[in-house]
Amino acid sequence: NYVLNVRVGANDFCKNLGVRHNVYETIYEISAINSVLGDIATCFSADYVVSGPVWEYFLGNDNLWIEGLEKEIRLDRINGFIGKTLIHPSQIPIANEAFKVDNNDYNDALNVIDMKNNSQLLVGRSKTSNRMNEYKTHNLWAQKTLILAEIYGVKN
């Protein structure tokens, strides 16, 4: 048997605490939930696809729900979550765009993977950004980044 996805029920955690975030806040701003999300990512994201928790806002005359969804997806990604639990078709194009890989990240991921095959030096400076690339440290990140790029594409 295979585990295809670990889905995080952050709203279920909120229910137990009797809390809820507003459209201009992310789930990460509830410190108790943030801690639980960190524990889940630490335990599972190296070996499984763990999707970020549901964003419960959709539609509306203003763009607050879109800005909030984009912000929460950025926080999901930086915390090790891949994918997002969506509840409305209007959220799909926003999430698909938000999961596109930054061009600098894509190039750095290629560079990191290439270090294993072509270099005695497994540490180097990024060719496209002011950061260090290190094979042993960034290999899993690079693999995940290239998979995301294949699925969602690369931002120009």
Side-chain angles (χ1 to χ4, degrees), residues 82 101 140-153:
I82 298 174
V101 173
L140 181 58
W141 167 85
Q143 290 176 41
K144 286 183 174 186
T145 299
L146 294 177
I147 291 169
L148 286 173
E150 187 175 317
I151 294 168
Y152 293 104

Side-chain angles (χ1 to χ4, degrees), residues 73-122:
I73 290 174
R74 282 192 305 273
L75 292 169
D76 289 339
R77 288 185 63 188
I78 199 164
N79 284 291
F81 295 100
I82 298 174
K84 187 74 172 166
T85 304
L86 303 175
I87 59 166
H88 193 272
S90 65
Q91 296 173 325
I92 294 170
I94 287 97
N96 284 343
E97 184 65 28
F99 275 101
K100 284 185 177 178
V101 173
D102 177 81
N103 192 50
N104 288 336
D105 286 345
Y106 178 74
N107 287 321
D108 282 351
L110 290 173
N111 180 251
V112 167
I113 297 300
D114 190 50
M115 285 178 174
K116 179 181 180 186
N117 301 323
N118 298 323
S119 178
Q120 297 293 344
L121 182 66
L122 298 178

Side-chain angles (χ1 to χ4, degrees), residues 130-145:
N130 290 320
R131 64 180 175 187
M132 175 192 77
N133 287 331
E134 183 176 2
Y135 178 78
K136 290 181 181 180
T137 302
H138 300 118
N139 182 47
L140 181 58
W141 167 85
Q143 290 176 41
K144 286 183 174 186
T145 299

Side-chain angles (χ1 to χ4, degrees), residues 10 17 25 32 36-37 39 42 48 54 62-63 76-77 83 89 91 110 112 114 118 122 128-129 137 151:
L17 297 172
E25 300 163 328
V36 172
L37 292 174
D39 290 344
T42 299
Y48 300 98
V54 68
D62 57 34
N63 288 335
D76 289 339
R77 288 185 63 188
Q91 296 173 325
L110 290 173
V112 167
D114 190 50
N118 298 323
L122 298 178
T128 57
S129 61
T137 302
I151 294 168

